[in-house]
Amino acid sequence: MISYNKALRLLTLDNKRIGYAVYVNDAGYLETVYFGKHLASYADFSCIRDGKGYATPVYDAAAGEEYFYADGFKADVAPLEISPHGVWDKRGAPVIVRGANGSFETDLRFVSVRRIGGCHVPEGLPHVHGEGETADITLEDKQLGVRAHLYLTIFPGQDVIVKSFRIENKGKKAVRLVRAMSMQLGLPRSDYDLVHFCGRWAKERDYCCNRIHDGVQEVSSNLGRSSAEENPFVYLKAADATWDYGEVIGFNLIYSGNFRFRVLHGTYGGLHILYGMNDEDFEWTLAPGAAFETPQAVIAYSAAGVDAMSQAFHRFIRENLMTYAGNCDYKPVLFNSWEGCYFDFDTQLILSYIDDACKLGTELFVLDDGWFGARNSDRAGLGDWTVNREKIDLHRVMAHCRERGVKFGIWFEPEMVNYDSDLFRARPAFALGWGRKELTVGRHQFHLDFANGDAVEEIYRQMKAFLDEYPVDYIKWDYNRTVAEHVSAALPPERQGEVYHRLVLGYYSLLARLTSEYPHTMFEGCASGGGRFDLGTLCYCPQIWCSDESDPAQRIDIQFNTSLGYPLSCIGSHVNDSPVASYSAKAALALFGTYGYEMNPNKLTEGEMAELAAMAQVYRDYHRDVIEAGTLYHLRAPFAGNEMCMQCVSQDRRASLVLFMNKLKTPDKFRFLPLKGLDEKKRYRNTLDGAVHTGEYYANVGLNLSQLWMDEFSYRLIILTEEA
Ligand code: GLA
């Protein structure tokens, strides 16, 4: 898949689906000459490379001569893999190092390239796995004494390239990294829309689509987490692209902290893209001999529209990112206590919840916030992870679940501390920002200083003690505030620029340790709903709570948009008590995710229970093959009209689930819904009208939804199964 033609100085990555070509020019810079569909031959790259016009002139100080860069290289125009910094090219470098002399100049040039089997493993960071092949390109700035590795990985059968850098200080003095992004990409075209997903609490991942304009556009977070305000998943959609036509390039970062996606439409045309950790307030000291690894960036390529890009991410995330040793291949039907009783419960109430939850087909019962320390409201208790035995008899609760064949899970918020807690009283300096006169609080809590290994160790000790006494099947790992004062009392002044990144490393180290020591406990990510929905978290948590908003009025968009970049099987989705839609409509929506409940089950009528239990059965029957392993098509986008429709087709194309939902009430109208992904020759019975048609019929004529009056947030869930 990877080859380097020494004569042409051309590196190619090609897996018969996509291709990527890098030319090492005479000056030692890496020119990205091609990224796109697989090509039969890369020998003739000269037509792709711009060799015309004036090359950049340079003066050789030693020889006292002015000359032009060879092969027509225009230093500020050519698409590069890594732009230098502090020289002619001002478009933006992914890596900037301040040398021992204080200069910002960073000019990393090609030394060598080698092919390695498999993927690069960046130490301390979540990463991709599997049968990839990696080009390890060594670059060097001799004056700076810095060496860098650029890793480019390609995988068989995946429309994805993974990129990252490793920066090594080979000199005798310390240097300071002031930018360490994961990738640069140059594109020769600029007529794209930039799609990103901004939002806020309970309105995560709104669809934002803007035409690329002159100058810089940026999608970023500086909140300390990947955030509800912007998600690290973004894509560029060619101006003429549709759901199944045209070029679409998706980007994501395997990282849960501050990120920055920056695209420059330069004065000379084309796009210059940088993606990686946000460099705001970033500064990392590299001692002689030390190395720094950037998170990995994932780029998905589609020549066939938005859905193929989305499917490329789904497949890749499932097969090369979410790889667990544990018991996570089936996501059990989950009942969560939070919206049913909040902090207000006792053992008896929870036992009654479990009994009723069982009638809904629950397979995993989760006791949410409020079981530990002095936690009877959000004002106290975070940091004290011991069971409040006066409030809840957890052994009894777990035994009750066991007797009913139901798994048991519990809520934690490991990275936080309330100022009203024993931990804070004993170790105030564990609070991030400690030492300042004023500390901002979010939900009456501070962020723990996870840049301090002792704070991480203390939380590990407490969680381990809990898990050894209560071997739970599941942990919901919450994170309910953003980082404000990014000052660590544990780090010296010259290392305060490391705080943001060290917080994320602390998060990963604790998560990695617990997930490997308790492989049979499934972890679900969460951050005030979906405020940390990212690929870093997904490396450890096979599902993430999508949003605190389960009301279809908002949820339709949140779930649909999330599914553009992330597989449905990782999207935590619950049926709750919100009044806008029926239980069954909410359940149908939750089926297109990991199905669960979150309400007071004691209040449900027998009829509602039966209806929900029937939906749980649909989940059990179809989740694994159709939703989890199948292919997702986005048939109607809620951001583009009154209807939302998603369709999943199993890999063997023997079964399919279609969810059609409308927002505003619509009177009867002539409405046919063509389907996708079915086998043209196979015959399928559908549960809408019981009729049997061929895949060809469904693709071209469609399901007939014409006779249906649709109220607000009413839905049709249609199952298609192959007729023998
Ligand atoms: C966050 C989560 C909720 C719930 C509460 C508990 O808001 O998103 O699901 O766990 O915390 O405090």
Side-chain angles (χ1 to χ4, degrees):
M1 289 189 292
I2 292 183
S3 65
Y4 182 62
N5 183 327
K6 266 199 175 149
L8 293 176
R9 294 204 302 258
L10 187 70
L11 171 73
T12 52
L13 292 83
D14 188 288
N15 62 3
K16 297 264 191 295
R17 300 171 66 98
I18 59 166
Y20 198 95
V22 177
Y23 169 65
V24 182
N25 75 18
D26 209 56
Y29 292 114
L30 307 176
E31 297 188 38
T32 317
V33 287
Y34 184 72
F35 178 38
K37 256 173 103 162
H38 152 76
L39 295 180
S41 162
Y42 292 86
D44 182 16
F45 62 91
S46 54
C47 61
I48 304 167
R49 229 190 119 243
D50 178 11
K52 301 184 202 92
Y54 295 105
T56 302
V58 275
Y59 180 77
D60 183 331
E65 274 172 18
E66 180 179 326
Y67 63 94
F68 290 105
Y69 274 134
D71 21 299
F73 172 49
K74 287 202 272 299
D76 53 350
V77 177
L80 296 181
E81 284 297 296
I82 172 166
S83 281
H85 184 79
V87 289
W88 192 255
D89 182 357
K90 295 291 179 193
R91 294 170 298 175
V95 175
I96 304 177
V97 188
R98 294 192 71 178
N101 66 359
S103 150
F104 288 85
E105 186 183 326
T106 310
D107 193 3
L108 292 152
R109 304 208 198 184
F110 180 81
V111 175
S112 61
V113 59
R114 68 184 180 121
R115 198 193 127 274
I116 39 183
C119 307
H120 172 64
V121 176
E123 209 180 302
L125 287 168
H127 53 86
V128 298
H129 307 260
E131 303 213 321
E133 264 182 33
T134 301
D136 171 5
I137 307 170
T138 303
L139 302 134
E140 198 164 37
D141 181 331
K142 288 216 170 71
Q143 210 163 317
L144 200 55
V146 167
R147 186 173 283 186
H149 293 267
L150 162 61
Y151 302 105
L152 299 174
T153 306
I154 189 163
F155 302 80
Q158 305 283 8
D159 301 331
V160 156
I161 299 280
V162 172
K163 290 180 141 196
S164 68
F165 287 108
R166 175 186 167 91
I167 300 127
E168 300 166 347
N169 182 0
K170 295 285 177 193
K172 293 201 164 58
K173 288 188 178 157
V175 297
R176 278 169 293 159
L177 266 171
V178 292
R179 186 184 290 167
M181 297 175 86
S182 302
M183 57 151 272
Q184 176 173 327
L185 180 68
L187 295 176
R189 291 172 57 181
S190 54
D191 51 338
Y192 294 93
D193 291 334
L194 171 63
V195 179
H196 60 108
F197 300 89
C198 61
R200 55 194 174 276
W201 175 71
K203 191 81 180 78
E204 295 89 346
R205 292 173 290 286
D206 251 349
Y207 180 84
C208 308
C209 177
N210 298 292
R211 184 58 43 92
I212 291 284
H213 55 69
D214 289 346
V216 169
Q217 281 154 91
E218 183 170 306
V219 180
S220 64
S221 164
N222 63 358
L223 295 161
R225 62 186 187 187
S226 47
S227 91
E229 283 70 7
E230 286 284 7
N231 191 271
F233 166 57
V234 295
Y235 61 92
L236 292 170
K237 177 165 85 66
D240 60 350
T242 65
W243 289 100
D244 45 22
Y245 171 82
E247 184 175 71
V248 183
I249 306 174
F251 301 84
N252 209 331
L253 194 68
I254 307 180
Y255 195 58
S256 307
N258 291 347
F259 69 90
R260 182 176 179 214
F261 177 88
R262 174 187 182 272
V263 50
L264 167 75
H265 179 206
T267 34
Y268 299 109
L271 296 183
H272 178 88
I273 298 160
L274 296 178
Y275 197 15
M277 284 167 40
N278 197 333
D279 51 344
E280 182 180 305
D281 293 353
F282 172 80
E283 190 175 85
W284 193 278
T285 303
L286 267 188
F292 183 90
E293 298 270 7
T294 73
Q296 292 173 329
V298 184
I299 317 174
Y301 185 84
S302 159
V306 175
D307 256 347
M309 179 275 306
S310 169
Q311 289 157 6
F313 267 121
H314 295 171
R315 204 168 44 236
F316 183 71
I317 292 169
R318 277 190 323 235
E319 293 172 12
N320 295 86
L321 200 120
M322 298 169 64
T323 38
Y324 307 97
N327 57 350
C328 304
D329 61 331
Y330 170 73
K331 316 289 167 45
V333 175
L334 186 159
F335 187 100
N336 181 296
S337 66
W338 178 243
E339 290 185 25
C341 55
Y342 298 101
F343 296 105
D344 193 13
F345 58 82
D346 57 19
T347 306
Q348 223 39 55
L349 185 78
I350 294 302
L351 297 184
S352 77
Y353 267 39
I354 294 167
D355 290 341
D356 280 340
C358 286
K359 298 180 191 154
L360 310 176
T362 295
E363 296 164 316
L364 164 66
F365 183 89
V366 178
L367 180 59
D368 207 277
D369 198 353
W371 57 268
F372 53 90
R375 187 78 169 170
N376 290 312
S377 77
D378 60 9
R379 292 190 155 269
L382 292 176
D384 302 337
W385 299 108
T386 46
V387 178
N388 180 347
R389 290 175 203 265
E390 279 159 30
K391 186 171 179 181
I392 188 89
D393 181 347
L394 216 49
H395 285 302
R396 183 144 173 236
V397 168
M398 288 177 72
H400 201 73
C401 284
R402 258 195 317 276
E403 284 155 20
R404 279 151 191 76
V406 171
K407 293 181 172 181
F408 178 76
I410 204 140
W411 182 94
F412 273 94
E413 195 177 356
E415 295 145 279
M416 301 291 166
V417 66
N418 280 114
Y419 51 82
D420 185 0
S421 68
D422 292 341
L423 178 64
F424 180 71
R425 281 182 282 273
R427 305 297 299 264
F430 278 180
L432 188 65
W434 189 244
R436 291 184 88 253
K437 246 174 99 186
E438 192 178 78
L439 286 169
T440 39
V441 279
R443 219 186 180 207
H444 317 289
Q445 68 199 50
F446 300 131
H447 199 296
L448 278 172
D449 181 2
F450 264 35
N452 178 352
D454 292 345
V456 181
E457 194 59 34
E458 167 59 22
I459 298 301
Y460 167 76
R461 190 191 61 72
Q462 290 195 35
M463 290 182 78
K464 182 173 163 44
F466 171 86
L467 287 168
D468 290 343
E469 184 173 350
Y470 302 95
V472 296
D473 302 296
Y474 161 105
I475 284 177
K476 177 174 169 188
W477 184 304
D478 214 332
Y479 182 84
N480 280 316
R481 66 161 290 175
T482 54
V483 175
E485 294 81 15
H486 50 286
V487 185
S488 167
L491 292 175
E494 68 278 11
R495 289 199 167 257
Q496 294 299 326
E498 301 179 11
V499 171
Y500 274 128
H501 185 49
R502 288 195 182 277
L503 294 178
V504 184
L505 293 178
Y507 165 53
Y508 291 148
S509 72
L510 184 58
L511 201 44
R513 206 163 161 191
L514 290 168
T515 48
S516 69
E517 286 176 22
Y518 300 90
H520 299 297
T521 303
M522 174 176 132
F523 287 67
E524 174 162 2
C526 179
S528 314
R532 196 157 62 175
F533 208 112
D534 58 63
L535 296 185
T537 298
L538 274 184
C539 285
Y540 307 99
C541 302
Q543 65 190 53
I544 303 177
W545 179 223
C546 183
S547 174
D548 279 345
E549 182 59 88
S550 296
D551 182 333
Q554 322 282 352
R555 185 68 177 214
I556 284 180
D557 288 272
I558 299 171
Q559 214 161 307
F560 184 96
N561 296 344
T562 304
S563 79
L564 289 170
Y566 302 91
L568 290 178
S569 61
C570 71
I571 301 178
S573 322
H574 300 170
V575 183
N576 77 348
D577 259 335
S578 65
V580 173
S582 64
Y583 280 123
S584 67
K586 286 178 285 196
L589 195 53
L591 281 179
F592 278 68
T594 65
Y595 185 76
Y597 306 106
E598 187 152 347
M599 77 264 288
N600 180 348
N602 303 159
K603 287 193 179 155
L604 295 172
T605 64
E606 289 294 320
E608 287 164 343
M609 283 186 171
E611 194 175 35
L612 290 173
M615 282 296 202
Q617 192 54 48
V618 175
Y619 178 82
R620 268 191 290 275
D621 291 343
Y622 293 101
H623 178 80
R624 211 188 291 249
D625 290 347
V626 181
I627 301 285
E628 169 137 28
T631 306
L632 173 64
Y633 298 89
H634 296 92
L635 301 186
R636 294 275 199 280
F639 53 74
N642 193 40
E643 296 159 351
M644 189 282 286
C645 185
M646 291 192 265
Q647 182 195 359
C648 275
V649 183
S650 66
Q651 281 189 20
D652 60 11
R653 301 206 278 175
R654 298 187 62 185
S656 178
L657 249 65
V658 181
L659 175 63
F660 181 92
M661 201 173 246
N662 70 327
K663 293 190 269 188
L664 298 178
K665 188 186 283 191
T666 43
D668 190 15
K669 66 176 181 183
F670 202 55
R671 191 195 286 122
F672 276 79
L673 179 70
L675 301 181
K676 290 187 177 167
L678 298 175
D679 186 327
E680 297 230 313
K681 295 208 171 63
K682 284 193 166 85
R683 290 158 47 77
Y684 301 88
R685 186 177 296 283
N686 78 72
T687 55
L688 181 71
D689 54 17
V692 177
H693 302 289
T694 60
E696 183 189 42
Y697 174 96
Y698 287 113
N700 294 289
V701 182
L703 280 169
N704 185 356
L705 298 173
S706 306
Q707 301 308 310
L708 306 170
W709 169 273
M710 300 281 282
D711 282 327
E712 280 98 349
F713 303 105
S714 59
Y715 74 97
R716 295 292 174 267
L717 177 70
I718 303 132
I719 303 169
L720 293 105
T721 40
E722 189 190 359
E723 280 282 287

